[in-house]
Amino acid sequence: VQLVQSGAEVKEPGASVKVSCETSGYTFSGYYVNWVRQAPGQGLEWMGWINPNNGDTIYAQNFHGRVTMTRDTSIATAYMELSRLTSDDTAMYYCVRGGYCIDAVCPPGSYWGQGTLVAVSS
Amino acid sequence: QSVLTQPPSASGTPGQRVTISCSGSNSNIGRNAVNWYRQVPGTAPKLLISTNYQRPPGVPDRFSGSKSGTSASLAISGLQSEDETDYYCAAWDDSLNAYVFGPGTKVTVL
């Protein structure tokens, strides 16, 4: 199982960023893909997930209206786009395969991408 | 500010047992499973404990998880120098409709 993310990005305030997460080694449609971010020196923050089987998403309230998670099943890749960036969005962004699910809750599991650093600066 | 509470730090000497607490409420830990993650700075986090007490393959049995009511705990027995890193608890929160992480606990091996 591998999740390989796109490279680091530098963006200006107000811009958008789209991070990709190319998966392999398992059935893409069978596991949710979570997105988790970590600002420098800070803790982990869950952003949301996408069900690759049907495209259903749940977003954390902190990101409502700014985040969009999509997927392309033909290439087993998930995407996370964050708009209206501010300096507070400077962070490492991780995609994570969903782990053991209970009652449709499929939290981050054992397989994480390597992370994508997004820096927001003018 | 997280809805889960963890002590900022914990410490022990090699071989000792260290316990990290994670306190929540009925909307998160009280109703949902707890996961624990370990993160070495500069690397991606790693799932350490799943659904309260399950160890994923490859996780040593020195690590154990438990849950009671609205609190959970991670215990590290036979503390080793390599255990000196950051640990996070996490659970689904029904009120927030979100997966929430604790603020993290830094373990120091004295």
Side-chain angles (χ1 to χ4, degrees):
Chain A
V1 174
Q2 281 194 310
L3 290 81
V4 179
Q5 299 181 223
S6 48
E9 303 261 14
V10 179
K11 296 290 184 181
E12 291 192 346
S16 298
V17 67
K18 190 170 186 176
V19 179
S20 67
C21 174
E22 182 179 349
T23 73
S24 61
Y26 72 97
T27 302
F28 179 62
S29 59
Y31 297 84
Y32 286 20
V33 174
N34 290 258
W35 290 88
V36 175
R37 79 174 186 179
Q38 186 172 38
Q42 302 301 310
L44 303 172
E45 183 178 20
W46 182 80
M47 300 180 69
W49 69 40
I50 182 167
N51 180 347
N53 188 46
N54 56 18
D56 285 351
T57 55
I58 289 183
Y59 302 139
Q61 208 156 19
N62 285 350
F63 301 97
H64 266 194
R66 288 207 302 138
V67 69
T68 305
M69 296 177 188
T70 57
R71 92 290 189 214
D72 185 337
T73 56
S74 68
I75 55 172
T77 299
Y79 303 91
M80 186 284 299
E81 184 169 20
L82 189 62
S83 62
R84 303 194 300 277
L85 293 169
T86 72
S87 57
D88 289 344
D89 296 313
T90 293
M92 186 71 81
Y93 290 76
Y94 295 100
C95 62
V96 194
R97 198 183 83 166
Y100 184 72
C101 299
I102 299 177
D103 295 334
V105 172
C106 303
S110 296
Y111 299 99
W112 293 63
Q114 82 278 19
T116 296
L117 181 62
V118 175
V120 183
S121 173
S122 54
Chain B
Q1 194 164 354
S2 177
V3 296
L4 302 181
T5 302
Q6 294 181 241
S9 62
S11 63
T13 57
Q16 267 191 332
R17 175 185 170 96
V18 168
T19 301
I20 301 169
S21 61
C22 177
S23 179
S25 68
N26 284 322
S27 67
N28 42 67
I29 295 178
R31 292 183 189 173
N32 299 298
V34 177
N35 283 3
W36 289 89
Y37 301 85
R38 161 193 171 119
Q39 184 182 30
V40 175
T43 70
K46 172 185 174 181
L47 179 65
L48 200 60
I49 297 290
S50 173
T51 55
N52 306 322
Y53 60 85
Q54 306 271 17
R55 280 187 305 274
V59 174
D61 59 8
R62 302 187 295 107
F63 296 92
S64 61
S66 64
K67 187 180 100 166
S68 178
T70 58
S71 293
S73 293
L74 172 72
I76 309 172
S77 59
L79 195 65
Q80 299 179 4
S81 58
E82 67 206 51
D83 298 330
E84 184 166 292
T85 190
D86 300 320
Y87 296 83
Y88 297 88
C89 62
W92 182 260
D93 190 290
D94 291 334
S95 296
L96 297 174
N97 203 40
Y99 195 66
V100 292
F101 286 93
T105 297
K106 181 172 181 58
V107 168
T108 301
V109 181
L110 302 171

